C-alpha cells in the first residue's frame, strides 16, 4: 500500500543534505552554539528578505508572541483580542503576559471575522493578534484600520504564513510586530525549536531583544527582568541554508494546492479552501471541509494517507479557558467547522501522483 506522510521532512533534507551538513559542521568546528555569528547572519538575512529594520531571533514561535506582548508593555488589567481557531500559543501567551485573551469567531477563510472585532473592544483593549491561519493572511486592511481607530497595537502571528502577502505586502510587516515559528514542520523549519520577531520600530526591537535575553543587551547589565529565549547557532545555520529555497518551496505548495482544488472541486461533499482576492496564501496547510469527516479521515488513514485536524477544539471551548466563563455560543462558525475540517498532506515535495492518489480515494469514499 502507498504511504503518504502528512509532512515529509526526510525528502527535503535529502535534497539539500550537502549544504545542511556543511553548515552544521562549520558551527560544530567553531562551537558557535548560542547567539554569535551564525545567529546574527540569519537575523540579517531574514530581515533583508522581509524588507524590515529588525529581526530578533528567539527560542520558538510561542516565545515570539510572549516577547512581543512584553515589549509592548501589555500585562495585568489589559485585554488582547485574538481569534477563536488557532494553536494555543496565540492565547496562552496573552494570559502569561498577565492580560486577558478575548476571542473572536472565524470567517469562511478560517481567519478572524473582522466584522465581529469592534464589539469586543473596550477601554481595557490594548492589542489585536490576528493569526494568518493555514498560510492565508487575515483581512489586514480592515484590522489595521480598527487598530488605528482605537489606538491598539497590532501583533501578527505569522507562524503558519512565511512570506504570505496581503495586498502584495508581506504579512508580519503590516502590524507593529510580526512573530514567526520555525518549528520543523513549518514552511521555513529548523531542526528543532526556533522562532523570531520582525519589526520596523527601533524601541520595540530593543525591548524585545533585551527581554528575550534576561533583560540585558550588555552582559551583566540587566535593565529589566527577562527570560532566556535564544536561537542557537546550529538552528540559525540550518535556517540560513533553507531560507534560500523558501520561494521555490512556497511556489510548490501553491501549485500543489491548485491541483488538490482542481481535482476535488467536482465533489459535492467537499469544500475546498477559499482564497481571499487580496491574499497570497502560502498553504502551510491544505484544509478541506467535508461531510462525514471522521469516517473519511479513517478511510484515508486506512489507505496509507496521514491527515490531521487543525484544530479539533476551538480555543474558547478548551478546558484551559473554563475560567473565563465564556459564552460558547459566541463562536458559531468555529463550532460548526470543527467537525468538518480535515488537513490533507501538504509539503513542497508532494508529487502529482500522490495528490491524484489522495483525491481518488476521496472520490471513491463519497461514491
Ligand atoms: C498559529 C501558531 N502560533 C504560534 C505557534 C507557536 O510556535 P512554536 O511551536 O514554535 O512555539 C504555532 C506553532 O505551532 C502556530 O501554529
Amino acid at each position: 500500500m502507498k504511504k503518504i506522510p502528512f509532512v515529509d521532512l526526510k525528502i527535503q533534507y535529502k535534497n539539500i543534505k550537502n549544504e545542511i551538513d556543511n553548515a552544521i559542521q562549520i558551527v560544530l568546528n567553531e562551537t558557535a552554539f548560542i547567539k554569535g555569528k551564525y545567529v546574527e547572519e540569519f537575523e540579517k538575512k531574514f530581515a533583508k528578505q522581509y524588507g524590515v529594520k529588525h529581526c530578533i531571533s528567539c527560542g520558538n514561535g510561542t516565545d515570539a508572541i510572549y516577547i512581543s506582548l512584553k515589549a509592548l508593555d501589555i500585562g495585568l488589567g489589559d485585554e488582547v483580542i485574538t481569534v477563536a481557531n488557532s494553536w494555543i500559543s496565540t492565547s496562552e501567551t496573552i494570559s502569561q503576559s498577565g492580560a486577558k485573551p478575548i476571542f473572536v469567531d472565524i470567517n469562511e477563510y478560517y481567519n478572524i471575522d473582522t466584522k465581529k472585532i469592534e464589539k469586543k473592544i473596550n477601554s481595557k483593549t490594548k492589542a489585536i493578534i490576528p493569526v494568518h491561519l493555514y498560510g492565508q493572511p487575515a483581512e489586514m486592511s480592515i484590522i489595521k484600520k480598527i487598530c488605528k481607530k482605537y489606538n491598539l497595537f497590532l501583533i501578527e502571528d505569522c507562524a503558519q504564513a512565511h512570506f504570505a502577502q496581503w495586498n502584495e505586502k508581506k504579512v508580519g510587516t503590516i502590524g507593529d510586530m510580526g512573530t514567526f515559528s520555525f518549528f520543523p514542520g513549518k514552511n521555513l523549519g529548523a531542526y528543532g525549536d526556533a522562532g523570531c520577531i520582525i519589526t520596523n520600530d527601533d524601541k520595540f526591537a530593543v525591548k524585545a531583544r533585551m527581554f528575550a535575553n534576561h533583560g540585558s543587551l550588555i552582559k551583566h547589565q540587566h535593565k529589566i527582568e527577562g527570560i532566556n529565549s535564544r536561537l542557537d547557532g546550529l538552528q540559525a545555520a540550518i535556517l540560513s541554508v533553507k531560507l534560500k529555497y523558501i520561494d521555490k518551496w512556497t511556489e510548490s505548495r501553491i501549485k500543489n494546492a491548485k491541483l488538490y482544488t482542481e481535482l476535488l472541486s467536482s465533489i459535492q461533499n467537499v469544500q475546498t479552501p477559499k482564497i481571499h482576492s487580496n491574499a497570497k496564501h502560502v498553504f502551510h496547510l491544505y484544509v478541506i471541509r467535508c461531510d462525514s469527516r471522521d469516517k473519511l479521515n479513517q478511510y484515508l488513514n486506512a489507505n496509507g494517507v496521514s491527515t490531521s485536524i487543525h484544530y479539533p477544539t476551538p480555543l474558547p471551548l478548551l478546558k484551559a479557558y473554563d475560567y473565563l466563563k465564556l459564552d460558547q455560543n459566541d463562536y458559531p462558525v468555529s463550532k460548526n467547522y470543527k467537525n468538518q475540517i480535515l488537513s490533507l498532506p501538504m509539503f513542497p515535495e508532494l508529487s502529482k501522483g500522490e495528490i491524484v492518489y489522495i483525491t481518488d480515494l476521496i472520490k471513491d469514499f463519497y461514491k
Side-chain angles (χ1 to χ4, degrees):
M1 186 177 53
K2 217 176 168 80
K3 276 215 176 296
I4 305 176
F6 186 63
V7 177
D8 191 344
L9 297 177
K10 284 187 193 138
I11 189 167
Q12 193 184 71
Y13 171 57
K14 247 172 75 185
N15 288 341
I16 53 172
K17 187 176 183 315
N18 284 345
E19 271 185 282
I20 292 280
D21 290 358
N22 279 342
I24 290 175
Q25 194 57 56
I26 291 170
V27 177
L28 295 182
N29 291 346
E30 296 180 17
T31 61
F33 296 137
I34 301 278
K35 292 261 179 198
K37 183 168 143 195
Y38 298 102
V39 172
E40 277 167 31
E41 232 173 69
F42 172 69
E43 288 183 339
K44 277 202 187 115
K45 282 183 187 155
F46 197 76
K48 186 161 179 230
Q49 217 148 315
Y50 265 91
V52 291
K53 281 167 85 176
H54 307 282
C55 168
I56 301 108
S57 59
C58 60
N60 54 67
T62 309
D63 284 356
I65 306 170
Y66 180 58
I67 293 162
S68 299
L69 287 161
K70 299 301 281 186
L72 298 173
D73 275 331
I74 289 167
L76 208 62
D78 297 335
E79 292 187 359
V80 177
I81 291 174
T82 192
V83 62
N85 190 35
S86 182
W87 176 239
I88 193 167
S89 302
T90 318
S91 50
E92 70 186 351
T93 47
I94 297 172
S95 309
Q96 282 153 8
S97 77
K100 182 176 171 187
I102 304 292
F103 298 105
V104 173
D105 203 9
I106 57 170
N107 58 20
E108 61 189 325
Y109 303 102
Y110 308 106
N111 278 323
I112 191 165
D113 186 340
T114 49
K115 292 190 293 299
K116 295 180 180 165
I117 294 177
E118 281 194 82
K119 59 174 181 279
K120 302 259 178 166
I121 296 174
N122 61 45
S123 60
K124 294 180 183 165
T125 313
K126 285 288 163 351
I128 302 180
I129 309 184
V131 180
H132 307 303
L133 202 73
Y134 308 153
Q136 165 137 261
E139 292 170 326
M140 290 310 290
S141 319
I142 301 173
I143 298 169
K144 188 140 183 173
K145 247 188 219 155
I146 295 172
C147 286
K148 261 206 173 128
K149 182 172 167 190
Y150 294 94
N151 197 23
L152 307 175
F153 291 121
L154 177 50
I155 301 172
E156 298 178 68
D157 181 344
C158 310
Q160 301 188 6
H162 307 75
F163 297 96
Q165 294 179 16
W166 176 260
N167 278 340
E168 304 196 357
K169 212 167 173 341
K170 289 187 194 79
V171 298
T173 67
I174 301 167
D176 296 291
M177 304 180 99
T179 66
F180 291 83
S181 164
F182 303 123
F183 181 81
K186 294 292 196 264
N187 287 24
L188 181 65
Y191 289 175
D193 275 316
C196 84
I197 299 158
I198 58 173
T199 182
N200 277 313
D201 188 292
D202 299 342
K203 221 171 60 229
F204 299 153
V206 168
K207 194 101 189 276
R209 200 174 279 289
M210 197 186 281
F211 185 76
N213 190 41
H214 300 288
S216 135
L217 290 174
I218 301 164
K219 203 167 181 180
H220 299 306
Q221 293 184 23
H222 304 271
K223 290 201 174 164
I224 52 171
E225 283 183 331
I227 59 170
N228 176 5
S229 183
R230 299 182 291 222
L231 182 65
D232 68 70
L234 286 169
Q235 302 308 338
I238 290 161
L239 286 166
S240 283
V241 170
K242 292 181 85 176
L243 191 56
K244 291 192 277 185
Y245 295 94
I246 188 67
D247 289 343
K248 188 177 133 204
W249 289 335
T250 300
E251 290 317 308
S252 298
R253 285 176 182 275
I254 293 170
K255 201 168 125 219
N256 291 343
K258 263 194 194 137
L259 183 59
Y260 261 130
T261 297
E262 202 181 298
L263 296 173
L264 292 172
S265 59
S266 61
I267 310 174
Q268 298 246 311
N269 315 69
V270 171
Q271 171 68 59
T272 54
K274 280 193 183 149
I275 306 177
H276 197 292
S277 56
N278 296 338
K280 179 179 179 183
H281 188 325
V282 296
F283 287 98
H284 172 56
L285 297 168
Y286 186 87
V287 179
I288 58 168
R289 287 205 315 280
C290 52
D291 298 333
S292 313
R293 192 268 316 268
D294 292 342
K295 284 200 177 123
L296 172 64
N297 196 16
Q298 278 166 17
Y299 182 73
L300 290 173
N301 296 166
N303 284 284
V305 177
S306 295
T307 51
S308 193
I309 295 167
H310 299 85
Y311 294 91
T313 310
L315 295 170
L317 274 57
L318 288 172
K319 191 151 182 38
Y321 294 108
D322 280 358
Y323 81 98
L324 290 173
K325 300 199 170 23
L326 299 167
D327 177 359
Q328 309 244 322
N329 295 320
D330 211 11
Y331 316 97
V333 182
S334 306
K335 260 174 91 172
N336 184 27
Y337 285 1
K338 84 178 173 70
N339 300 319
Q340 301 171 24
I341 48 178
L342 184 64
S343 309
L344 302 178
M346 173 52 85
F347 47 93
E349 300 80 6
L350 192 65
S351 72
K352 185 174 175 187
E354 287 172 321
I355 296 173
V356 169
Y357 177 76
I358 296 163
T359 52
D360 279 350
L361 282 173
I362 297 173
K363 280 180 199 158
D364 285 346
F365 176 80
Y366 288 114
K367 239 183 220 162

